[in-house]
Short mmCIF file of all heavy atoms in Angstrom, two decimals:
data_model
loop_
_atom_site.label_atom_id
_atom_site.label_comp_id
_atom_site.label_asym_id
_atom_site.label_seq_id
_atom_site.Cartn_x
_atom_site.Cartn_y
_atom_site.Cartn_z
N ILE A 122 24.23 -8.12 10.63
CA ILE A 122 22.81 -8.37 10.84
C ILE A 122 22.44 -8.16 12.31
O ILE A 122 21.48 -7.47 12.63
CB ILE A 122 22.46 -9.81 10.38
CG1 ILE A 122 22.74 -9.96 8.87
CG2 ILE A 122 21.00 -10.14 10.70
CD1 ILE A 122 22.69 -11.37 8.35
N ASP A 123 23.26 -8.72 13.21
CA ASP A 123 22.96 -8.63 14.64
C ASP A 123 22.99 -7.19 15.16
O ASP A 123 22.17 -6.79 15.97
CB ASP A 123 23.95 -9.49 15.45
CG ASP A 123 23.77 -10.98 15.16
OD1 ASP A 123 22.71 -11.35 14.62
OD2 ASP A 123 24.68 -11.77 15.47
N ALA A 124 23.95 -6.40 14.66
CA ALA A 124 24.16 -5.07 15.24
C ALA A 124 23.40 -3.97 14.50
O ALA A 124 23.04 -2.96 15.12
CB ALA A 124 25.66 -4.75 15.26
N LEU A 125 23.17 -4.13 13.22
CA LEU A 125 22.68 -2.98 12.44
C LEU A 125 21.35 -3.20 11.72
O LEU A 125 20.56 -2.27 11.56
CB LEU A 125 23.74 -2.55 11.41
CG LEU A 125 25.08 -2.09 11.98
CD1 LEU A 125 26.09 -1.88 10.85
CD2 LEU A 125 24.91 -0.79 12.77
N VAL A 126 21.13 -4.42 11.24
CA VAL A 126 19.95 -4.69 10.41
C VAL A 126 18.71 -4.82 11.29
O VAL A 126 18.75 -5.47 12.34
CB VAL A 126 20.17 -5.97 9.57
CG1 VAL A 126 18.87 -6.43 8.90
CG2 VAL A 126 21.26 -5.74 8.53
N THR A 127 17.62 -4.16 10.89
CA THR A 127 16.38 -4.28 11.67
C THR A 127 15.31 -5.08 10.93
O THR A 127 14.26 -5.39 11.50
CB THR A 127 15.81 -2.89 12.02
OG1 THR A 127 15.44 -2.21 10.82
CG2 THR A 127 16.83 -2.04 12.77
N MET A 128 15.56 -5.40 9.66
CA MET A 128 14.54 -6.12 8.89
C MET A 128 15.22 -6.86 7.73
O MET A 128 15.99 -6.25 6.99
CB MET A 128 13.57 -5.07 8.33
CG MET A 128 12.34 -5.62 7.69
SD MET A 128 11.28 -4.23 7.19
CE MET A 128 9.76 -5.10 6.99
N GLU A 129 14.95 -8.17 7.60
CA GLU A 129 15.49 -8.94 6.49
C GLU A 129 14.34 -9.31 5.56
O GLU A 129 13.33 -9.85 6.01
CB GLU A 129 16.19 -10.20 7.00
CG GLU A 129 17.42 -9.90 7.84
CD GLU A 129 18.00 -11.17 8.46
OE1 GLU A 129 18.66 -11.94 7.76
OE2 GLU A 129 17.75 -11.39 9.66
N ILE A 130 14.51 -9.00 4.27
CA ILE A 130 13.43 -9.23 3.31
C ILE A 130 13.90 -10.11 2.15
O ILE A 130 14.96 -9.89 1.58
CB ILE A 130 12.89 -7.89 2.74
CG1 ILE A 130 12.29 -7.03 3.86
CG2 ILE A 130 11.87 -8.13 1.64
CD1 ILE A 130 11.76 -5.67 3.37
N SER A 131 13.07 -11.11 1.81
CA SER A 131 13.23 -11.91 0.59
C SER A 131 12.09 -11.55 -0.34
O SER A 131 10.99 -11.23 0.12
CB SER A 131 13.15 -13.40 0.94
OG SER A 131 12.87 -14.17 -0.22
N ILE A 132 12.32 -11.56 -1.65
CA ILE A 132 11.20 -11.24 -2.54
C ILE A 132 10.54 -12.49 -3.11
O ILE A 132 9.66 -12.40 -3.97
CB ILE A 132 11.59 -10.26 -3.68
CG1 ILE A 132 12.66 -10.85 -4.59
CG2 ILE A 132 12.01 -8.92 -3.11
CD1 ILE A 132 12.73 -10.12 -5.95
N GLY A 133 10.91 -13.67 -2.62
CA GLY A 133 10.22 -14.87 -3.07
C GLY A 133 11.10 -16.10 -2.97
O GLY A 133 12.31 -15.98 -2.74
N ASP A 134 10.50 -17.25 -3.16
CA ASP A 134 11.23 -18.50 -2.96
C ASP A 134 11.96 -18.95 -4.21
O ASP A 134 11.55 -19.91 -4.88
CB ASP A 134 10.26 -19.58 -2.45
CG ASP A 134 9.78 -19.27 -1.04
OD1 ASP A 134 10.50 -18.55 -0.31
OD2 ASP A 134 8.69 -19.74 -0.67
N TYR A 135 13.01 -18.24 -4.54
CA TYR A 135 13.92 -18.56 -5.63
C TYR A 135 15.20 -17.81 -5.32
O TYR A 135 15.21 -16.93 -4.46
CB TYR A 135 13.34 -18.12 -6.99
CG TYR A 135 12.69 -16.76 -6.92
CD1 TYR A 135 13.47 -15.60 -6.99
CD2 TYR A 135 11.31 -16.63 -6.73
CE1 TYR A 135 12.88 -14.35 -6.89
CE2 TYR A 135 10.73 -15.38 -6.61
CZ TYR A 135 11.51 -14.25 -6.70
OH TYR A 135 10.93 -13.03 -6.57
N VAL A 136 16.29 -18.18 -5.99
CA VAL A 136 17.59 -17.59 -5.63
C VAL A 136 18.07 -16.62 -6.70
O VAL A 136 18.13 -16.97 -7.89
CB VAL A 136 18.64 -18.69 -5.39
CG1 VAL A 136 19.99 -18.06 -5.01
CG2 VAL A 136 18.19 -19.65 -4.29
N LEU A 137 18.38 -15.41 -6.30
CA LEU A 137 18.97 -14.41 -7.18
C LEU A 137 20.49 -14.39 -6.98
O LEU A 137 20.98 -14.84 -5.95
CB LEU A 137 18.42 -13.02 -6.84
CG LEU A 137 16.91 -12.82 -6.92
CD1 LEU A 137 16.51 -11.48 -6.29
CD2 LEU A 137 16.45 -12.87 -8.37
N THR A 138 21.21 -13.84 -7.94
CA THR A 138 22.68 -13.76 -7.78
C THR A 138 23.05 -12.75 -6.71
O THR A 138 24.13 -12.81 -6.14
CB THR A 138 23.36 -13.38 -9.10
OG1 THR A 138 22.83 -12.13 -9.55
CG2 THR A 138 23.12 -14.44 -10.16
N GLY A 139 22.16 -11.81 -6.43
CA GLY A 139 22.45 -10.82 -5.40
C GLY A 139 21.20 -10.08 -5.02
O GLY A 139 20.15 -10.24 -5.64
N GLY A 140 21.30 -9.24 -4.01
CA GLY A 140 20.13 -8.55 -3.50
C GLY A 140 19.73 -7.30 -4.27
O GLY A 140 18.73 -6.66 -3.93
N GLU A 141 20.50 -6.92 -5.30
CA GLU A 141 20.21 -5.66 -6.00
C GLU A 141 18.84 -5.66 -6.68
O GLU A 141 18.09 -4.69 -6.57
CB GLU A 141 21.30 -5.35 -7.03
CG GLU A 141 22.56 -4.73 -6.46
CD GLU A 141 23.44 -5.74 -5.74
OE1 GLU A 141 23.18 -6.96 -5.86
OE2 GLU A 141 24.38 -5.32 -5.05
N LEU A 142 18.54 -6.73 -7.42
CA LEU A 142 17.25 -6.77 -8.11
C LEU A 142 16.11 -6.81 -7.10
O LEU A 142 15.07 -6.18 -7.30
CB LEU A 142 17.18 -7.96 -9.08
CG LEU A 142 18.14 -7.88 -10.27
CD1 LEU A 142 18.05 -9.13 -11.12
CD2 LEU A 142 17.86 -6.64 -11.11
#
Side-chain angles (χ1 to χ4, degrees):
I122 298 169
D123 293 343
L125 298 172
V126 169
T127 64
M128 189 177 198
E129 295 174 77
I130 298 179
S131 161
I132 62 162
D134 291 336
Y135 42 81
V136 180
L137 302 169
T138 58
E141 279 76 11
L142 294 177

